[in-house]
Amino acid sequence: MMEAQSTIRPWNAEDPEQKAIPFLISRIIDQRGGFRDITEESLEEEIATGDSLLEDDVESNAKMGDDEEKPRAEQVQAARQDTMKLVHQAFNESAQALDLISLLLSSYEVPAAYSSLSPYVQSNLPSKSLGTETISQPLGSVSSQGDALTSAGWKLQSLNSTADSLLKAAKRLEKEVSLETKFWSHVLSIKNKGWPISRLPKEKQVLAARFGCLESPAEFREKGLAPLRRSEDGSINLDLSGTLGGTPQTLRARILQNDNTIACSTGRTNSMDDDSLDSTMVRARDNIFDVELFDALYREGRLLTSRGVKCHDNTISLPLEDDRFILIELIDQASDVPPALPDGVSTKYQRLPQLVIIALRLLLLHSHRQNYRRRTGKPPAISERPTQRIPPIILRPVTSYLQHRKAINELNSHLQQLQSVLGNAELKLDIGHPEETIDLANVLKSDNLGQLANFVYEAMESFSGPLETSIRVQVPKQDTQLSIQIRTHVIQTQYKVLRSGDRTIDPEIDLDLPVDAIYNDQLDVLSLVAEVIQTDLVKHITSQSTGKWQSEAPMQGELETSPQNGYYHQVKVDFRPDKVKLVWAVAQFMDQISSHTVKVWDNTSVESNKVGLIHAIDVIGSAPLDANPAAFAEQFLRI
């Protein structure tokens, strides 16, 4: 007995594509050869005779025959594939149904709904995007007229909602346009005032205004850029949260003497004290500039301890004169109030602190200008060594200037003392005003300031280099001038004395002043000046005495009268920076018989007993050769 073979297979699902019009047309063309010979009568006749059904049965039987002829393993494999395909289809349909229900339940805050959603739905559809709504509809039949009215009502409500949305969008767009117009007008005004506008490096879609310097170090260059945020009313809000922040600070200089303030710099005289955007940017620029300046001064000051510079906390101390020193400090702008000065304090140093602050700021700007020229100029040769940023040199020129100024004041004081001594001896010594290498006052008074930037650059270059000053001294009774040149470079001050005049200089008898003679001590310079005056005065007396006085050693200040019977008067004039001494002697054949110091002039001579040096020498020249120098001087010179 043969066992019956059976296979568990589902019913064949109808393929919807086989019922499509294009598929049916192509099938009819393949079977019939086209529609030309097909008519209604031929189709009815074919149905009546059953030919078409017979053909279908034949085809189906042929297929079954083919299936029976296939091996058993192929039949099982084909059945397994069909089963797995249906299982996958059922799984996909159930998963879609689960996603639909879970997405629907997510609008009701069901925790299980989020965990049951598939990853694809979670990444592409937001939660709570599907909801339900209960529509109550009366039972019974609804007329077609009611359906039309309902449809019209829904359409009208939808149109009204759309119109309201468009009106709200138009108002919102109009408001946005006005705010953007106001914002960009402010941005344009900032740019027209010269503030650079660029994109924020970390937020490319945000504009930023630069109030710092591009040539500053990286830490201050990044803080000198502030975003321009739009406020609710369309105005610009300068976001300074990423800059220095905190309380604005400024730089102040004071001169202290015995821990008492005798002079102080004034704060910034800024006329823009309102809350406008331009004023805010100016204050931010001043703040970051002074903070950067003090940071550079502090770094440089720690390397200048050999010059007496001291750095402690937020203060830098510079030596000035004797027990006075300059204190530079970084303070809050709110506390920038000048301290009360003691009563009777001298006004000699009143302007110096402010000048020091201005010089420091100009030197930092000069350093920025140098960095800009190096950055935009011809690049250096390629080298394996990395290019290092040159630190700014700011404090060194200031300390050199203070030392140079101290040397000028001390030399001028000694020359005035010598002038007073010679004045008591009735000898006039003219001292010229110190002449600087660059006279800023005269240049700034000129009307041609078109190249002021280049002038400031060159002036700062000169200020950063060696400082030179000359003082002219007019020799008494002569047309000769002495030029004392003072040169300060780094920490050393040197002096040079040059001689000029209209008269011819006799190299055999004139004092030889080498052009390259350089002195490091002021006392040597003063002694040289006194020696020149002494030599020129002796030469003047010998030239004006018509042969009465003669001198074989004018550089030593010696004068002799013509001998009579071997006797003659001998006078020695000794010039010192602090006094002038006149010695009179009667000599015979090179031997002094009697000697007496006639007069010593200093800056404390009494006016009632004032006797001129040249007058005393003339009186001595007319004295008899047998006169006692001491008694004669007391009688005729009233000394």
Side-chain angles (χ1 to χ4, degrees):
M1 181 176 179
M2 184 178 293
E3 295 180 359
Q5 296 180 0
S6 64
T7 302
I8 300 176
R9 299 181 63 187
W11 296 100
N12 292 330
E14 294 182 356
D15 190 359
E17 293 182 357
Q18 295 182 0
K19 294 183 178 182
I21 297 299
F23 181 78
L24 294 176
I25 292 175
S26 61
R27 183 177 178 183
I28 292 172
I29 293 174
D30 292 338
Q31 292 179 358
R32 308 286 181 173
F35 294 91
R36 184 184 298 264
D37 297 333
I38 298 177
T39 59
E40 185 176 357
E41 291 78 6
S42 63
L43 291 176
E44 289 178 353
E45 182 181 359
E46 185 178 341
I47 292 172
T49 57
D51 293 340
S52 60
L53 297 176
L54 181 59
E55 292 178 358
D56 294 339
D57 293 339
V58 172
E59 292 178 0
S60 62
N61 292 332
K63 291 180 179 179
M64 291 179 64
D66 294 338
D67 295 338
E68 292 176 356
E69 292 176 1
K70 292 181 179 180
R72 177 67 176 173
E74 293 183 3
Q75 294 178 7
V76 173
Q77 184 67 20
R80 181 178 179 278
Q81 291 178 358
D82 294 339
T83 303
M84 292 301 296
K85 184 185 296 184
L86 294 174
V87 170
H88 285 302
Q89 183 178 359
F91 177 78
N92 290 335
E93 290 178 358
S94 63
Q96 292 177 1
L98 179 60
D99 288 340
L100 177 64
I101 295 173
S102 299
L103 188 61
L104 182 62
L105 291 177
S106 65
S107 61
Y108 296 96
E109 299 294 334
V110 178
Y114 296 95
S115 60
S116 59
L117 281 172
S118 63
Y120 178 81
V121 176
Q122 290 182 2
S123 61
N124 290 275
L125 292 177
S127 60
K128 302 180 183 180
S129 61
L130 185 63
T132 60
E133 184 177 358
T134 303
I135 300 176
S136 59
Q137 185 175 2
L139 299 176
S141 60
V142 182
S143 62
S144 60
Q145 184 178 2
D147 291 342
L149 291 176
T150 301
S151 177
W154 280 107
K155 290 181 179 179
L156 183 60
Q157 184 178 357
S158 178
L159 290 174
N160 290 335
S161 177
T162 303
D164 293 340
S165 299
L166 290 175
L167 289 176
K168 290 180 181 179
K171 292 181 179 179
R172 187 169 62 253
L173 180 60
E174 183 180 359
K175 182 180 179 181
E176 188 71 18
V177 168
S178 63
L179 294 179
E180 284 292 318
T181 302
K182 185 177 180 181
F183 174 78
W184 286 105
S185 64
H186 288 174
V187 171
L188 185 60
S189 66
I190 292 175
K191 183 175 179 59
N192 291 336
K193 290 181 180 179
W195 299 102
I197 303 294
S198 62
R199 293 185 182 274
L200 199 63
K202 297 181 181 179
E203 301 178 37
K204 298 296 184 180
Q205 71 278 8
V206 178
L207 291 179
R210 177 169 295 282
F211 52 85
C213 185
L214 280 173
E215 309 305 327
S216 301
E219 53 184 300
F220 295 102
R221 183 170 59 249
E222 295 176 358
K223 295 177 181 179
L225 192 66
L228 299 176
R229 312 279 186 188
R230 197 189 76 179
S231 58
E232 296 181 356
D233 58 349
S235 59
I236 290 181
N237 181 22
L238 189 65
D239 188 4
L240 297 175
S241 58
T243 58
L244 294 177
T247 306
Q249 295 177 309
T250 185
L251 215 60
R252 184 177 70 178
R254 293 184 296 157
I255 298 181
L256 298 184
Q257 183 179 8
N258 299 327
D259 295 334
N260 294 324
T261 302
I262 61 175
C264 181
S265 63
T266 58
R268 293 183 180 271
T269 57
N270 188 7
S271 59
M272 306 174 64
D273 294 333
D274 53 359
D275 295 332
S276 63
L277 182 61
D278 196 22
S279 301
T280 304
M281 295 187 67
V282 169
R283 289 193 293 268
R285 179 200 62 189
D286 296 342
N287 180 25
I288 194 173
F289 185 85
D290 280 357
V291 173
E292 177 190 354
L293 175 58
F294 187 80
D295 181 77
L297 294 177
Y298 205 90
R299 293 174 183 272
E300 187 181 2
R302 289 182 297 181
L303 305 175
L304 300 178
T305 54
S306 60
R307 299 192 188 185
V309 179
K310 299 178 181 179
C311 299
H312 180 69
D313 294 338
N314 285 337
T315 59
I316 302 174
S317 175
L318 307 179
L320 183 58
E321 295 176 358
D322 300 333
D323 57 345
R324 304 179 185 90
F325 57 91
I326 299 178
L327 194 68
I328 302 173
E329 50 192 351
L330 187 67
I331 61 173
D332 297 338
Q333 288 186 2
S335 60
D336 187 14
V337 179
L341 302 180
D343 296 336
V345 65
S346 175
T347 59
K348 177 181 178 181
Y349 305 98
Q350 185 175 2
R351 297 176 56 190
L352 183 59
Q354 189 67 24
L355 294 177
V356 169
I357 293 296
I358 294 175
L360 292 175
R361 288 169 177 165
L362 287 176
L363 286 170
L364 180 59
L365 289 174
H366 178 64
S367 175
H368 289 167
R369 186 71 177 271
Q370 286 179 323
N371 292 337
Y372 172 77
R373 291 195 173 188
R374 281 191 291 265
R375 181 171 59 87
T376 58
K378 187 178 180 180
I382 299 177
S383 174
E384 296 180 355
R385 298 181 180 179
T387 304
Q388 297 181 355
R389 187 180 183 89
I390 301 176
I393 300 177
I394 303 175
L395 209 54
R396 290 179 179 86
V398 174
T399 54
S400 297
Y401 172 77
L402 294 177
Q403 181 178 351
H404 188 71
R405 183 175 181 271
K406 178 181 179 181
I408 294 175
N409 292 337
E410 291 179 352
L411 180 60
N412 205 15
S413 176
H414 290 310
L415 290 177
Q416 289 178 358
Q417 181 181 4
L418 179 60
Q419 184 183 35
S420 176
V421 171
L422 295 179
N424 291 331
E426 294 187 354
L427 296 175
K428 184 179 180 181
L429 180 68
D430 293 332
I431 303 174
H433 187 74
E435 299 177 0
E436 305 287 344
T437 305
I438 298 179
D439 194 352
L440 296 179
N442 293 333
V443 175
L444 294 177
K445 288 179 181 179
S446 63
D447 297 333
N448 186 15
L449 298 179
Q451 299 180 351
L452 182 58
N454 294 331
F455 165 74
V456 172
Y457 182 83
E458 295 175 0
M460 290 298 103
E461 282 286 330
S462 301
F463 186 70
S464 302
L467 302 176
E468 295 184 0
T469 303
S470 61
I471 300 177
R472 296 188 178 275
V473 178
Q474 181 69 40
V475 177
K477 305 298 182 179
Q478 295 288 341
D479 295 332
T480 305
Q481 286 186 349
L482 296 179
S483 177
I484 305 175
Q485 296 182 356
I486 310 170
R487 189 176 188 270
T488 302
H489 183 53
V490 190
I491 60 175
Q492 186 178 11
T493 301
Q494 296 179 337
Y495 306 88
K496 181 187 291 187
V497 181
L498 302 178
R499 182 171 186 171
S500 62
D502 296 334
R503 67 184 183 86
T504 304
I505 300 177
D506 188 356
E508 295 182 357
I509 61 174
D510 280 8
L511 180 63
D512 186 14
L513 292 178
V515 177
D516 297 331
I518 297 177
Y519 304 90
N520 295 324
D521 192 354
Q522 286 189 4
L523 295 180
D524 296 338
V525 176
L526 293 172
S527 298
L528 179 62
V529 172
E531 188 176 354
V532 171
I533 296 175
Q534 170 183 294
T535 304
D536 282 6
L537 183 62
V538 171
K539 294 176 182 180
H540 171 72
I541 294 175
T542 56
S543 62
Q544 298 294 326
S545 62
T546 61
K548 180 186 295 185
W549 290 102
Q550 301 173 0
S551 176
E552 296 181 357
M555 295 177 60
Q556 299 178 4
E558 296 180 356
L559 291 167
E560 301 92 10
T561 58
S562 301
Q564 296 179 8
N565 299 324
Y567 291 92
Y568 59 92
H569 294 294
Q570 188 179 40
V571 174
K572 181 176 179 57
V573 181
D574 187 9
F575 275 80
R576 302 288 178 87
D578 56 343
K579 63 182 179 179
V580 177
K581 183 171 68 172
L582 176 62
V583 179
W584 174 23
V586 177
Q588 181 182 16
F589 301 111
M590 304 297 295
D591 295 329
Q592 291 185 357
I593 299 175
S594 60
S595 176
H596 174 66
T597 301
V598 178
K599 178 68 176 176
V600 176
W601 290 271
D602 53 17
N603 55 358
T604 59
S605 298
V606 182
E607 290 290 335
S608 60
N609 199 17
K610 189 173 182 179
V611 177
L613 175 62
I614 297 179
H615 175 66
I617 294 176
D618 291 339
V619 172
I620 292 173
S622 61
L625 295 176
D626 58 350
N628 186 356
F632 188 85
E634 183 178 356
Q635 179 180 1
F636 293 95
L637 297 178
R638 298 179 181 179
I639 298 176

